[in-house]
Amino acid sequence: MSVQNQSVETLRWRDGKLEMIDQRVLPATFTYLPYTSAAETAEGIRSMVVRGAPAIGCAAAYGVALEALCLRTASPEDFAAGMNKAFDVLAASRPTAVNLFWALKRMRTVWDAVKEQPVGAIAERLLAEAHEVTAEDIRINRAMGAFGAELLPDGARVLTHCNAGALATAGHGTALGVLRSAVEAGKKISVIADETRPFLQGARLTAWEMVQENIPVTLITDNMAGFMMSKGEVDAVVVGTDRVAANGDVANKIGTYMVAVLAKRHNIPFYVACPLSTIDLSIPDGSAIPIEERAAEEVTGFRDCQWAAQGVKVRNPAFDVTPAELVSGLITEKGVVHQPNRDKVEALFS
Ligand code: MRU
């Protein structure tokens, strides 16, 4: 397997099927799994074959298109009933990343616009939209990358949490897209990757992406970030996000809040790479963002290895919220919003 010198193709359309890299088994195994219906795609999202807010949005768009293709010979009534069920199944797959709901809304709007056409034509239109959602995501990541790269000084040592890379998007990445763009612009950038307990997106995915491209990367466990900052070994933090509230509060992978507090303590800029599709103006502040709780087994062990006492009580919130006051800037495809607040976030949509 070699993906050297090219951004990984997290999702791809092959022979009438959606294929997604199985991110649960990276980096030991690089393999694509096929998807042919909305229910299968929803399960792929739920079980984290695909993860990362923008990639989840792309997968959901393809899930809708796949279902439409499955139903392309159905009566208009059966088509509508099947499609409504597909939207519900996909919406129930994961709760926090708003890109999922953003993509479903976009697909429903497209369906509404062509509702009177033959079902075969509707299915083709929905597939074209899913392709466009995916292609657009890469363009947006490149735009964010260009804005974000300007924020990083040459030689910057940048800490990131979780994986907001090509694997979390259709390609290039959001937070890692900023780092990639800075490298492409000729800057010497080195990355400090938090391992990101409990699912290890940093250790398994971010470190792998950076190693593939020869971008210098140092892996640390999550509890080492404060030590690194106190020693002056971190110049900036760049992370991704799953949902940003109207006031600029940022939900991202559990542990991000801890990193933001540490960054403030050490006067280190804390940036969030955030496509507009991740901003949820209907949520006034971070306290209203739904936070996914995942299985206890992710905390008591990893895969077949269990290390915690049998029967111990466990909490496993998958995300936390960083208040806007700790965010130095939201890096969007429209530019950087420094010290975000409600007015500045709303202005992005005007
Ligand atoms: O649980 P995950 O792996 O889906 O969480 C992913 C993150 O928290 C990412 O940082 C976020 O989705 C941004 S990805 C560009």
Side-chain angles (χ1 to χ4, degrees):
M1 173 271 303
S2 174
V3 288
Q4 240 141 27
N5 300 325
Q6 63 174 57
S7 193
V8 288
E9 233 185 331
T10 305
L11 320 94
R12 64 186 189 193
W13 187 254
R14 285 282 188 287
D15 304 326
K17 291 192 215 64
L18 170 65
E19 293 185 346
M20 301 197 287
I21 297 174
D22 186 353
Q23 299 194 30
R24 300 167 305 178
V25 295
L26 278 173
T29 306
F30 183 90
T31 184
Y32 281 92
L33 297 178
Y35 293 84
T36 58
S37 70
E40 282 177 15
T41 309
E43 180 53 22
I45 295 170
R46 193 204 59 74
S47 65
M48 292 174 68
V49 167
V50 67
R51 31 67 48 200
I56 290 172
C58 296
Y62 276 119
V64 169
L66 282 168
E67 198 64 25
L69 291 168
C70 290
L71 292 166
R72 91 181 108 191
T73 55
S75 68
E77 295 73 25
D78 288 351
F79 181 83
M83 290 302 287
N84 282 326
K85 212 166 122 200
F87 276 96
D88 289 348
V89 167
L90 286 160
S93 58
R94 287 191 80 189
T96 303
V98 75
N99 304 59
L100 171 69
F101 308 99
W102 169 90
L104 292 177
K105 190 171 165 196
R106 178 162 163 172
M107 296 301 279
R108 193 174 275 283
T109 304
V110 168
W111 178 24
D112 282 345
V114 294
K115 232 177 186 131
E116 303 311 324
Q117 293 185 14
V119 290
I122 299 175
E124 289 306 327
R125 178 66 191 87
L126 288 171
L127 178 60
E129 192 66 14
H131 289 326
E132 178 51 23
V133 166
T134 304
E136 186 184 282
D137 185 54
I138 298 175
R139 292 197 296 271
I140 287 169
N141 292 338
R142 288 244 159 230
M144 280 190 300
F147 286 121
E150 287 175 22
L151 298 169
L152 300 177
D154 192 18
R157 298 156 300 175
V158 183
L159 185 139
T160 190
H161 190 76
C162 194
N163 172 267
L167 288 165
T169 64
H172 197 62
T174 61
L176 293 191
V178 167
L179 307 184
R180 282 192 170 100
S181 293
V183 170
E184 283 170 14
K187 290 183 179 172
K188 245 180 113 187
I189 299 290
S190 56
V191 181
I192 300 158
D194 277 355
E195 82 174 329
T196 318
R197 282 274 292 138
F199 205 71
L200 306 181
Q201 290 93 332
R204 295 190 303 105
L205 309 178
T206 295
W208 179 76
E209 281 195 38
M210 296 294 93
V211 166
Q212 292 296 312
E213 288 171 48
N214 293 320
I215 297 177
V217 59
T218 303
L219 176 64
I220 61 170
T221 62
D222 300 337
N223 50 1
M224 295 173 188
F227 175 81
M228 302 288 287
M229 290 184 187
S230 72
K231 291 289 178 192
E233 293 184 36
V234 179
D235 301 304
V237 176
V238 185
V239 296
T241 171
D242 290 82
R243 196 183 297 225
V244 170
N247 71 340
D249 289 352
V250 170
N252 191 46
K253 180 52 53 194
I254 192 76
T256 302
Y257 171 50
M258 204 165 66
V259 173
V261 170
L262 283 167
K264 185 75 160 182
R265 168 75 175 86
H266 295 285
N267 280 319
I268 295 167
F270 178 90
Y271 297 114
V272 179
C274 164
L276 297 195
S277 56
T278 308
I279 298 176
D280 185 354
L281 291 181
S282 76
I283 297 264
D285 62 59
S287 66
I289 297 176
I291 301 293
E292 176 182 17
E293 284 269 349
R294 293 187 61 85
E297 291 70 36
E298 288 182 357
V299 176
T300 55
F302 189 73
R303 298 205 179 120
D304 295 337
C305 175
Q306 153 113 18
W307 50 67
Q310 203 73 42
V312 67
K313 191 173 162 206
V314 169
R315 282 292 311 276
N316 187 11
F319 300 94
D320 59 26
V321 175
T322 298
E325 65 184 272
L326 298 180
V327 177
S328 313
L330 294 176
I331 303 165
T332 80
E333 65 268 40
K334 282 196 173 174
V336 180
V337 180
H338 295 277
Q339 269 79 46
N341 59 28
R342 197 174 305 277
D343 289 346
K344 292 182 192 175
V345 170
E346 269 172 15
L348 282 168
F349 294 88
S350 60

